[in-house]
Amino acid sequence: PTSVKKLSRETNHFLDKKVRIEGWVRTLRVSKSFGFIEINDGTFFGNLQIVFDEGLDNFLDVAKLTISSAICVEGTLVESPRAKQPFELKAEKVEIVGLCAPDYPLQKKRHTFEFLRTIAHLRPRTNTFSAVFRVRSILAYAIHKFFQDKGFVYVHTPIITSSDCEGAGEMFRVSTLDLCNMAKDETGNVNFAEDFFGKETSLTVSGQLAVETYSMAFKNVYTFGPTFRAEKSNTPRHAAEFWMIEPEIAFADLSDDMHLAEEMIKYVINYVLENAPEEMAFFHNFIDKTLLERLENVVNSDFGQITYTEAVDILKKSGVPFEYAVDWGKDLQTEHERYLTEEVFKKPVFVTGYPKEIKAFYMRLNDDHKTVAAMDLLVPGVGEIIGGSQREERLDVLVKRMEELGLKTEDYWWYLDIRRYGGTKHAGFGLGFERVLMYLTGMTNIRDVISFPRTPKNAEF
Ligand code: 4AD
Ligand code: MG
């Protein structure tokens, strides 16, 4: 028999052929002389029905198989009499490879997502998480394809770094020193000269500063990797470890940046709809009944755009009793972002021109000297999924801003070099991978779209 490497709805070239399939029992129904097994072979979303009968040598053992046991089945793939699926497998041999213990926690009944988080090592075996992690994989590919097709160079930026890109001090320290019991020097500071790298290092919060330097060699680049934030926010949208896609484009300004972001979002939505239709139909039917219309609408509409100042006006005039008061100069909270995108625009919207005080040091100062060339993309259901900006390419302005913020310019000598050695205007953004995945699937908790979530007080597995 031919070993089936990948099942799909179009596996009809195997029809009436002898095949071998490996997988796990999802359901089992038996009567006296025959039975049905739904097997998940892991290669497509959905289960394959196996029909078996007394003709099997080990019929009685097969009839007693427990859910999630690993089996190998040989038989003939035939057209299914049932409309639900195109074909089924008539078993001639069922080899029991690994019997599943009786205390297996995933029995037929529906489990809550909260419960499934406690067994994150088993949840990819459920329909919902099978769909989530399949779409996650396809989405990652779509993102690479979008940039690669445009000629962007993929840059692997470091995970361990000695700079704090966002300047928010939310970094996880990396050290080989016993920091708790270490003797401090006479100034009360830890002597990092003795540390592995000879200086203070952390896990990166963003690959931006590094990828910016590469944009000055390749023009269009992107990085896509894990990033880490020791943010205390215990919300459904924040994880301590998440993945970020960060393109950087040279000879480009904020409007080029927004154009790229909009094109990318539309591209990946289309790609996933085309390449994961069954998973997307599942999310539409079981997670969010408005999902497909909503995504269709996003693909076919122009994203909205307002300035931060306009946004503040709209929010103030809305009369909505927000938990956090809106005031020019304060950052927008998720409730404000969601109001703007869900109630006012009813589609994705870019907010530009934030006050410099609430944004990072590298953003280009606008002519009003109060705001910066920043853009956040807000989407219904999630809020911010992208944060980006045009970068400050003017060396003197950048140095002045860093000094104002108390950053040690000597630590950023390499970043400043980029402004001195043939600098040009450039821009980029960061897309939260989990946030866009939530947006695409309708899943409402970031813990349910990342395999082993890391959140405050939770680093199980
Ligand atoms: O807005 P942020 O902080 O921007 C940056 O890091 C820039 N350096 C990006 C750049 O211009 N290259 O983060 C970017 C995006 C956010 O819009 C959000 O989608 C996601 O990263 N994000 C998080 N996702 C999950 N958990 C967290 N704790 C996140 N923090 C940010
Ligand atoms: Mg942001």
Side-chain angles (χ1 to χ4, degrees):
T2 328
S3 226
V4 179
K5 293 278 177 266
K6 187 179 181 335
L7 274 177
S8 76
R9 295 269 149 200
E10 294 80 43
T11 311
N12 49 18
H13 54 277
F14 287 118
L15 267 184
D16 302 321
K17 298 228 169 77
K18 274 216 171 191
V19 298
R20 176 186 166 85
I21 283 181
E22 297 148 347
W24 296 268
V25 175
R26 290 299 298 272
T27 64
L28 177 81
R29 285 177 295 136
V30 256
S31 70
K32 247 194 160 110
S33 56
F34 65 94
F36 301 99
I37 293 173
E38 273 188 81
I39 188 175
N40 166 33
D41 92 324
T43 68
F44 88 132
F45 184 62
N47 303 318
L48 174 69
Q49 168 144 289
I50 290 165
V51 192
F52 65 96
D53 60 28
E54 283 177 313
L56 295 181
D57 306 341
N58 56 350
F59 176 76
L60 289 178
D61 292 333
V62 173
K64 279 188 300 201
L65 273 172
T66 43
I67 302 298
S68 207
S69 292
I71 55 173
C72 282
V73 185
E74 283 177 19
T76 311
L77 210 58
V78 296
E79 262 177 73
S80 171
R82 303 192 312 164
K84 204 177 131 202
Q85 57 199 25
F87 39 69
E88 59 187 34
L89 184 64
K90 270 181 74 74
E92 282 143 37
K93 195 172 146 196
V94 177
E95 189 189 330
I96 299 170
V97 179
L99 213 50
C100 181
D103 63 348
Y104 183 62
L106 290 174
Q107 298 301 335
K108 194 91 224 270
K109 77 178 176 82
R110 272 189 80 126
H111 298 285
T112 63
F113 292 161
E114 287 78 6
F115 169 70
L116 292 173
R117 272 172 226 150
T118 67
I119 48 167
H121 59 310
L122 300 175
R123 67 179 178 166
R125 303 175 185 204
T126 65
N127 287 337
T128 304
F129 290 95
S130 170
V132 166
F133 291 108
R134 252 171 231 291
V135 169
R136 185 174 168 116
S137 164
I138 291 167
L139 178 63
Y141 182 72
I143 286 162
H144 282 297
K145 187 159 163 50
F146 173 78
F147 286 117
Q148 297 278 340
D149 284 354
K150 284 183 164 300
F152 280 56
V153 172
Y154 179 28
V155 182
H156 297 99
T157 49
I159 303 293
I160 299 176
T161 153
S162 57
S163 51
D164 180 358
C165 176
E166 295 306 299
E170 292 171 336
M171 309 194 61
F172 288 102
R173 182 161 290 152
V174 174
S175 178
T176 51
L177 299 176
D178 177 2
L179 294 175
C180 299
N181 298 310
M182 267 221 20
K184 309 244 164 86
D185 67 12
E186 50 289 353
T187 59
N189 291 321
V190 175
N191 184 6
F192 284 100
E194 287 170 24
D195 206 343
F196 186 92
F197 295 108
K199 65 190 324 193
E200 194 174 352
T201 54
S202 308
L203 295 178
T204 189
V205 295
S206 157
Q208 179 196 322
L209 303 186
V211 90
E212 262 187 65
T213 69
Y214 270 61
S215 76
M216 294 293 141
F218 295 105
K219 194 143 116 185
N220 293 332
V221 294
Y222 70 107
T223 178
F224 182 1
T227 45
F228 307 85
R229 299 212 181 165
E231 262 173 301
K232 290 278 155 30
S233 2
N234 207 346
T235 80
R237 288 174 192 80
H238 289 88
E241 177 178 314
F242 63 98
W243 285 61
M244 189 155 49
I245 296 100
E246 296 182 271
E248 193 70 29
I249 47 179
F251 300 94
D253 60 16
L254 192 67
S255 114
D256 300 317
D257 203 29
M258 289 189 283
H259 190 82
L260 179 69
E262 180 165 344
E263 198 187 338
M264 178 197 60
I265 296 287
K266 289 178 175 174
Y267 178 91
V268 299
I269 291 176
N270 275 327
Y271 189 93
V272 169
L273 287 172
E274 260 171 46
N275 291 279
E278 284 159 341
E279 288 85 346
M280 293 307 285
F282 174 89
F283 290 122
H284 182 82
N285 292 331
F286 295 104
I287 303 294
D288 176 355
K289 293 259 187 272
T290 65
L291 184 68
L292 293 180
E293 283 85 328
R294 192 151 56 70
L295 294 178
E296 202 72 27
N297 179 34
V298 172
V299 170
N300 294 319
S301 63
D302 293 331
F303 291 5
Q305 193 185 320
I306 44 167
T307 64
Y308 166 88
T309 304
E310 287 163 348
V312 167
D313 275 350
I314 293 174
L315 291 165
K316 278 189 161 167
K317 289 194 188 120
S318 71
V320 178
F322 293 115
E323 190 185 335
Y324 292 90
V326 185
D327 228 341
W328 201 97
K330 278 200 205 153
D331 208 357
L332 301 179
Q333 301 298 318
T334 301
E335 54 173 343
H336 309 135
E337 296 175 341
R338 291 190 59 173
Y339 177 81
L340 289 170
T341 182
E342 286 164 27
E343 306 298 330
V344 183
F345 281 87
K346 299 188 182 359
K347 62 179 182 181
V349 54
F350 288 108
V351 180
T352 62
Y354 284 81
K356 64 177 179 188
E357 284 77 15
I358 55 172
K359 289 292 183 188
F361 74 94
Y362 51 73
M363 295 193 183
R364 194 178 196 280
L365 192 63
N366 286 330
D367 292 342
D368 61 11
H369 292 271
K370 287 200 198 98
T371 61
V372 285
M375 61 94 160
D376 275 7
L377 179 65
L378 316 179
V379 298
V382 182
E384 177 190 339
I385 61 168
I386 283 180
S389 62
Q390 185 173 336
R391 319 308 190 187
E392 185 57 80
E393 83 282 13
R394 297 162 298 187
L395 182 64
D396 52 333
V397 184
L398 181 59
V399 168
K400 187 160 165 270
R401 184 70 190 135
M402 290 174 79
E403 282 166 351
E404 274 169 18
L405 292 168
L407 292 171
K408 287 195 209 125
T409 48
E410 60 273 24
D411 289 350
Y412 294 83
W413 62 274
W414 50 276
Y415 187 69
L416 297 174
D417 265 2
I418 296 312
R419 276 71 186 167
R420 297 169 53 236
Y421 296 154
T424 168
K425 66 177 180 179
H426 60 291
F429 63 81
L431 168 70
F433 186 54
E434 286 74 22
R435 300 252 178 111
V436 68
L437 188 54
M438 289 167 72
Y439 184 49
L440 268 167
T441 57
M443 298 294 287
T444 53
N445 197 310
I446 196 164
R447 292 161 183 78
D448 297 330
V449 296
I450 187 160
S451 55
F452 296 103
R454 271 80 181 91
T455 50
K457 302 278 179 285
N458 177 33
E460 192 69 36
F461 305 101

